[in-house]
Amino acid sequence: MKVLLVGGGAREHALAWKLTHDDPSLELLAAPGNPGIAELGRCVAVKATDIAALLDLARDERPDLTVVGPEAPLAAGLADALREHRVLVFGPSEAAARIESSKAFAKQLMLDAGVPTARAERHVRADDAKRAARSLGAPLVIKASGLAAGKGVLIARTLGEADCAIDAMLVGHSFGEAGNEILVEEFMDGEEVSLFVLTDGTRAVPMLPAQDHKRLLAGDAGPNTGGMGAYAPLSLATAALVDEALERIVRPTLRAMRAAGAPFSGLLYAGLMVAPGGTSPRVVEFNCRFGDPETEALLPLLAEPLLPRLLGVANGEADETPLRWTGRHAVTTVVAASGYPDTPRLGDAITLPSSTHADVHVFHAGTARQSDGRLVTSGGRVFAVTGVADTLAAAQRSSVRMASSIQFAGSQYRADIAWRELERHAGAA
Ligand code: AMP
Ligand code: GLY
């Protein structure tokens, strides 16, 4: 088997690790990959957003399957271009990727299909948006409709903050084109849960629910980031909650996508807001790909090979047999660069500990190998370090221990990933 993996972050390193761990004879090709992935396969210097070059690569290399990691190439039509050239691909079409690339589209689809989500109005004019804000009342959420790397969402505690956000997006074009259309949305209270579903458009199999930590600082304080860590499983997301989410959210959404002429095939990521006690999930957002850093926590817990599942989805024959999990716990701690998330400093020399451990995974996110072989930082999030153990507390300890022993100037990480769940465990004891 030969697999072409598109992307070069820690999510793709985790996918590369899982695929080659399951099948050491697998031939792995990554575009562009990263220094971590380079230890598992061949990396080709083609950007994940260069559709024409990726198409050429796939036609030259003839992979049995192409797996697309990030949303940008999917939203730009990579999966469609590959399918036109009879390349088997795991990832949705451009039309189906709109579930992530247009929050306005996703919101309308949910409203039409009766999928539980926050009330919202879409607007292109600031005065109309401000009127909508007044009729909803604070707190509320102002969202750029288009792709903004997870940064196009502002939680406004007051109408004054809402007005500023509306002006920034619609008048100041602070998110460029992504913010030319906005959503003015009801604020939902509760805890967020990430539910990933492998689907061929009709059949669907859920993965273990996970939770990520978007804020920079301990205790979920500080600015929003791309994600500072994640863990799984979480007791808040019971089997009953997953069933409810499948029946009330995922299946109606898949049906609506088929009816819209845009069947969704690949990984549907439902970001859920769950009320205290773990009931009444509502959709915060959909993404059209594996989440980052949740994937780095989930894949080391998967007790069966991943490739057959991906092939099933890509072939339109997804297997609905429940996935098998190890029953262990995983905590992923992200190690970020100095200055992240605003202005990450790049080019700092990295020293990795020489010891390795089967239950500790160091996934590369923003690293680069210089011509002299030295490893340096090359992105905001530099590593995602996953500890796997029989208890959550032990998984957190091993993840933090490894994160603290990765050395580069100004590195920052949170030592409290999974704190909510650890409090729940303490409360239950
Ligand atoms: P999104 O890009 O839509 O996932 O939004 C980014 C983050 O903003 C989410 O993960 C939530 O933490 C928060 N958020 C978005 N929409 C809402 C909402 N309606 N109520 C509360 N928090 C929200
Ligand atoms: N974990 C957030 C995301 O992947 O968008």
Side-chain angles (χ1 to χ4, degrees):
M1 285 302 283
K2 182 168 175 178
V3 171
L4 168 60
L5 181 60
V6 176
R11 166 184 48 207
E12 287 77 26
H13 189 181
L15 284 162
W17 167 78
K18 176 64 180 158
L19 292 170
T20 54
H21 176 79
D22 292 339
D23 175 9
S25 72
L26 181 107
E27 186 182 349
L28 182 81
L29 190 66
N34 67 32
I37 298 172
E39 289 172 18
L40 305 169
R42 185 155 51 94
C43 293
V44 185
V46 170
K47 282 202 190 119
T49 46
D50 189 341
I51 308 291
L54 288 168
L55 194 56
D56 283 346
L57 182 65
R59 291 165 74 184
D60 288 348
E61 295 281 350
R62 308 207 149 276
D64 298 292
L65 180 68
T66 298
V67 180
V68 186
E71 65 276 13
L74 294 166
L78 175 60
D80 310 74
L82 290 170
R83 285 191 186 108
E84 264 169 40
H85 289 87
R86 299 185 198 294
V87 177
L88 192 63
V89 52
F90 179 88
S93 66
E94 177 179 352
R98 288 183 77 206
I99 202 157
E100 172 169 1
S101 67
S102 169
K103 289 187 196 290
F105 169 83
K107 184 62 76 173
Q108 194 61 48
L109 187 99
M110 286 187 269
L111 293 177
D112 292 346
V115 169
T117 184
R119 283 183 298 146
E121 283 185 21
R122 48 207 278 198
H123 286 287
V124 292
R125 287 171 46 116
D127 46 354
D128 293 341
K130 287 176 189 174
R131 253 193 305 280
R134 272 147 193 83
S135 80
L136 274 178
L140 61 135
V141 186
I142 310 295
K143 298 185 174 182
S145 178
L147 289 181
K151 295 187 184 115
V153 174
L154 283 147
I155 313 268
R157 277 162 303 176
T158 63
L159 288 174
E161 284 181 13
D163 288 351
C164 286
I166 290 167
D167 283 334
M169 289 185 197
L170 289 179
V171 183
H173 303 290
S174 53
F175 292 105
E177 282 202 6
N180 284 349
E181 180 178 32
I182 65 168
L183 291 183
V184 178
E185 184 167 298
E186 169 199 2
F187 177 82
M188 295 187 286
D189 218 352
E191 235 182 276
E192 283 180 73
V193 173
S194 304
L195 181 65
F196 298 172
V197 177
L198 291 165
T199 177
D200 58 12
T202 307
R203 284 166 289 247
V205 61
M207 299 185 73
L208 270 187
Q211 189 167 59
D212 78 351
H213 294 55
K214 291 201 168 78
R215 302 298 192 105
L216 181 68
L217 303 174
D220 292 328
N224 256 324
T225 70
M228 291 301 289
Y231 69 94
L234 70 156
S235 57
L236 178 74
T238 58
L241 182 96
V242 173
D243 281 346
E244 186 182 351
L246 270 183
E247 295 315 318
R248 297 192 54 210
I249 293 172
V250 174
R251 293 196 193 284
T253 298
L254 294 176
R255 213 175 294 128
M257 293 295 285
R258 292 198 301 273
F264 186 99
S265 154
L267 186 127
L268 183 65
Y269 168 148
L272 306 175
M273 192 66 84
V274 175
T279 55
S280 316
R282 292 201 282 168
V283 176
V284 178
E285 62 161 348
F286 282 118
N287 292 317
C288 67
R289 35 91 195 157
F290 281 99
D292 194 350
E294 295 96 321
T295 301
E296 295 93 295
L298 285 171
L299 292 182
L301 298 177
L302 185 58
E304 60 169 75
L306 180 62
L307 186 61
R309 296 286 188 162
L310 302 183
L311 284 168
V313 165
N315 280 316
E317 300 165 351
D319 178 1
E320 276 191 324
T321 317
L323 289 161
R324 281 188 297 112
W325 301 92
T326 59
R328 304 184 81 200
H329 296 260
V331 171
T332 300
T333 301
V334 167
V335 184
S338 168
Y340 181 72
D342 294 333
T343 45
R345 194 174 66 202
L346 313 179
D348 284 316
I350 299 167
T351 308
L352 282 175
S354 50
S355 65
T356 57
H357 190 291
D359 283 337
V360 181
H361 304 270
V362 177
F363 296 122
H364 289 235
T367 71
R369 186 79 65 190
Q370 291 189 321
S371 49
D372 60 4
R374 282 196 318 158
L375 196 65
V376 297
T377 63
S378 70
R381 290 187 290 173
V382 185
F383 293 97
V385 182
T386 301
V388 179
D390 292 335
T391 67
L392 186 66
Q396 189 198 55
R397 273 197 301 278
S398 73
S399 171
V400 170
R401 196 180 309 126
M402 180 56 86
S404 70
S405 63
I406 294 176
Q407 291 175 354
F408 58 89
S411 73
Q412 34 174 350
Y413 63 88
R414 283 179 56 169
D416 72 336
I417 301 304
W419 67 271
R420 287 175 197 276
E421 183 72 6
L422 288 167
E423 276 185 2
R424 269 193 283 275
H425 289 195

